[in-house]
Amino acid sequence: MLVTGAGGFVGSALVRRLVEDGREVMATYRTPPIEPVPQATQLVIGELTEQTDWTAALQGVEVVVHCAARVHVMKDTAEDPLAAFRAVNVDVTRRLAEQAAQQGVRRFVYLSSVKANGEETAPGRPFTGQEEPRPVDPYGQSKLEAEYALQKVAAQTGLEVVIIRPVLVYGPGVKANFRTMMKWLSRGWPLPLGAVHNRRSLVALDNLVDLIVRCLAHPAATGQVFMASDGEDLSSTELLRRIGSALDRRAILLPVPVGVLAMAARALGKQAIAQRLCGSLQVDLRHTCETLGWQPPLSVDEGLRRATAEFRKSD
């Protein structure tokens, strides 16, 4: 099978899991990998464009797992962010799927994003894969457009398409805001986040990889959109406490009202960060579990233990 984006956070973990399971893997990278998986076949594909030729990567492949993407960033410097996202996330994805179908690939598993649904959920109304999506930002829009492009290729060629929309992924090697939170807590810094009563879904890296593996051959997966999470939603306050526990550090959380946090964030130009810390974003995992007969193998606490164990080694 082919795994694109094999140098990324999810792609590299997936390649390791597939090799451990004894599967033959073709792993593609944009640049030569620093730590390649020896048992996998490595192919440097270069920068991804609509003209990328995937022929060599697709030889003998039955299943493609497409993890490569232009990822979401907090401060995008592109002149036209939507065009930049479309060029990689839509055009490259469509081209790969078309070539895969021509080469006789049976199934195409696409790693999309919860941002295809939207940015925030109302209390008690989690996102599902069956409702009308309403993406807010260019990244989410490009991910949804890629899904539609894949569904069109599937209708034209018979390629089996499976779409997975993960929420925030954490685990060993996690970076960005999640790693920043671990750093805050490990240093014992007081945080004004002791009175946040939102609900957010997360997914441990190993849980997401396990779900992808389940989708590789399950007969009921074809044509489906699956949400991916740990199945336990937490408030930001509870998440910080759990991370602190995994780090063996007491989280010092000051009960500052959310309204005060919102005003401070506006004054500092940090509204996006405040929204992620104080807003809710939940997904409904029932369709995923019932259709695939699947349950997340890791609890949130075990997922956090694995993430913090790696953090303590490298911090």
Side-chain angles (χ1 to χ4, degrees):
M1 61 189 58
L2 167 63
V3 177
T4 71
F9 183 48
V10 176
S12 59
L14 176 62
V15 170
R16 290 192 298 270
R17 165 67 185 272
L18 293 172
V19 167
E20 289 170 1
D21 289 350
R23 299 175 186 260
E24 294 184 17
V25 181
M26 166 68 76
T28 64
Y29 303 82
R30 296 190 193 186
T31 59
I34 298 173
E35 297 182 5
V37 179
Q39 298 88 339
T41 302
Q42 324 287 334
L43 180 63
V44 177
I45 208 80
E47 289 298 318
L48 300 181
T49 71
E50 193 175 8
Q51 285 71 47
T52 297
D53 186 355
W54 297 91
T55 303
L58 291 167
Q59 293 299 311
V61 168
E62 292 187 1
V63 179
V64 171
V65 183
H66 187 38
C67 300
R70 185 176 192 265
V71 299
H72 178 262
V73 293
M74 294 293 291
K75 294 182 179 180
D76 202 324
T77 58
E79 288 188 15
D80 186 344
L82 181 56
F85 279 119
R86 279 175 170 159
V88 176
N89 295 349
V90 182
D91 298 340
V92 170
T93 300
R94 180 193 299 111
R95 175 68 170 160
L96 173 58
E98 290 171 346
Q99 291 190 35
Q102 292 168 3
Q103 293 292 326
V105 170
R106 174 177 55 83
R107 179 167 291 192
F108 192 106
V109 180
Y110 179 58
L111 196 66
S112 185
S113 168
V114 69
K115 286 181 173 288
N117 285 82
E119 289 289 330
E120 191 169 359
T121 54
R125 298 191 61 183
F127 286 138
T128 73
Q130 291 68 54
E131 66 187 272
E132 182 180 354
R134 292 183 174 85
V136 173
D137 66 3
Y139 172 72
Q141 186 174 338
S142 72
K143 282 296 198 178
L144 182 61
E145 290 178 6
E147 292 182 15
Y148 290 157
L150 288 173
Q151 290 164 352
K152 185 175 181 180
V153 172
Q156 293 172 341
T157 66
L159 181 68
E160 298 175 2
V161 169
V162 183
I163 293 166
I164 300 174
R165 293 180 187 161
V167 291
L168 173 68
V169 186
Y170 67 96
V174 67
K175 300 185 185 301
N177 292 338
F178 203 95
R179 196 170 193 88
T180 299
M181 288 193 294
M182 290 193 289
K183 188 175 295 186
W184 290 340
L185 293 165
S186 69
R187 284 152 174 68
W189 295 350
L191 301 173
L193 298 168
V196 182
H197 304 297
N198 60 345
R199 307 298 294 175
R200 296 194 74 89
S201 301
L202 309 167
V203 62
L205 178 61
D206 288 338
N207 283 341
L208 177 56
V209 167
D210 194 74
L211 176 59
I212 294 171
V213 170
R214 180 62 62 94
C215 289
L216 297 179
H218 198 292
T222 303
Q224 298 293 324
V225 177
F226 296 119
M227 311 308 292
S229 81
D230 290 333
E232 180 185 2
D233 300 339
L234 304 174
S235 68
S236 294
T237 299
E238 181 61 19
L239 173 61
L240 289 164
R241 287 179 179 145
R242 298 266 195 107
I243 296 174
S245 178
L247 288 166
D248 296 322
R249 297 295 300 266
R250 184 176 71 87
I252 304 172
L253 304 177
L254 308 178
V256 177
V258 169
V260 175
L261 291 175
M263 286 190 295
R266 282 195 297 271
L268 296 170
K270 302 292 185 181
Q271 296 96 321
I273 294 176
Q275 190 276 330
R276 285 165 175 76
L277 289 171
C278 301
S280 292
L281 196 160
Q282 296 176 268
V283 300
D284 189 333
L285 201 61
R286 287 178 297 177
H287 174 70
T288 303
C289 295
E290 293 169 0
T291 303
L292 299 173
W294 179 82
Q295 290 292 328
L298 266 62
S299 67
V300 171
D301 289 325
E302 176 59 21
L304 292 175
R305 187 194 67 77
R306 295 186 183 188
T308 55
E310 183 277 338
F311 170 79
R312 286 199 278 192
K313 290 179 182 177
S314 60
D315 186 44

